[in-house]
Amino acid sequence: MATIRQYLHGEHPQRAVVTVVAVGITTAAILVPFGLLERGVSGLVGTSAFAIAFGVLPGLAGGICGWYRLGFPAAAGSGVAPGVVFYLIVAVGAALDVGSFGGGDSPLGPFALLLTMPSFLMAIVGFTLAVVVAILRQ
């Protein structure tokens, strides 16, 4: 029987790091094509991509962190990773003047932080629900 402490601190630090990195790579794979093709994120496809990258993906990763006892820090990292990746993609794309990166009116830092808030919340909700379900199944 696992304790709450095991869920919060995590038992598998390497898997936790791999999970956070996988969230970042998947977010990049979702967002980079929109900037390179200069499509932006308007319309159904763009909105869906952002919803997946900043909502569904962190929520699933948070749930994985809770279910497999990877720890709360891994879930929090999975929630922050999409915002960090978005910031890096736009900063590098704007510096290289590639595609439509950096064409918005919003300052990049606050906008990336604004996008990070829902992804962080989804990761924490996913983590909490997975821990509750795992504890109730014991």
Side-chain angles (χ1 to χ4, degrees):
M1 180 143 166
T3 65
I4 297 288
R5 185 178 186 144
Q6 289 172 314
Y7 285 102
L8 291 177
H9 290 275
E11 296 177 340
H12 311 286
Q14 290 176 335
R15 291 181 190 165
V17 171
V18 168
T19 302
V20 174
V21 170
V23 169
I25 290 171
T26 306
T27 301
I30 292 171
L31 297 180
V32 166
F34 288 98
L36 292 177
L37 297 174
E38 298 185 9
R39 283 200 47 161
V41 291
S42 61
L44 181 62
V45 175
T47 304
S48 299
F50 254 68
I52 290 169
F54 291 96
V56 175
L57 182 62
L60 287 175
I64 290 170
C65 292
W67 186 260
Y68 292 105
R69 292 184 223 143
L70 301 181
F72 181 79
S78 296
V80 172
V84 172
V85 168
F86 174 80
Y87 184 88
L88 292 174
I89 289 171
V90 173
V92 169
L96 297 176
D97 196 25
V98 177
S100 63
F101 294 109
D105 296 333
S106 300
L108 181 56
F111 187 62
L113 182 62
L114 181 70
L115 289 174
T116 303
M117 286 189 281
S119 66
F120 181 77
L121 179 64
M122 291 301 293
I124 300 309
V125 167
F127 176 81
T128 304
L129 289 175
V131 168
V132 167
V133 170
I135 289 174
L136 290 176
R137 284 192 59 175
Q138 291 181 3

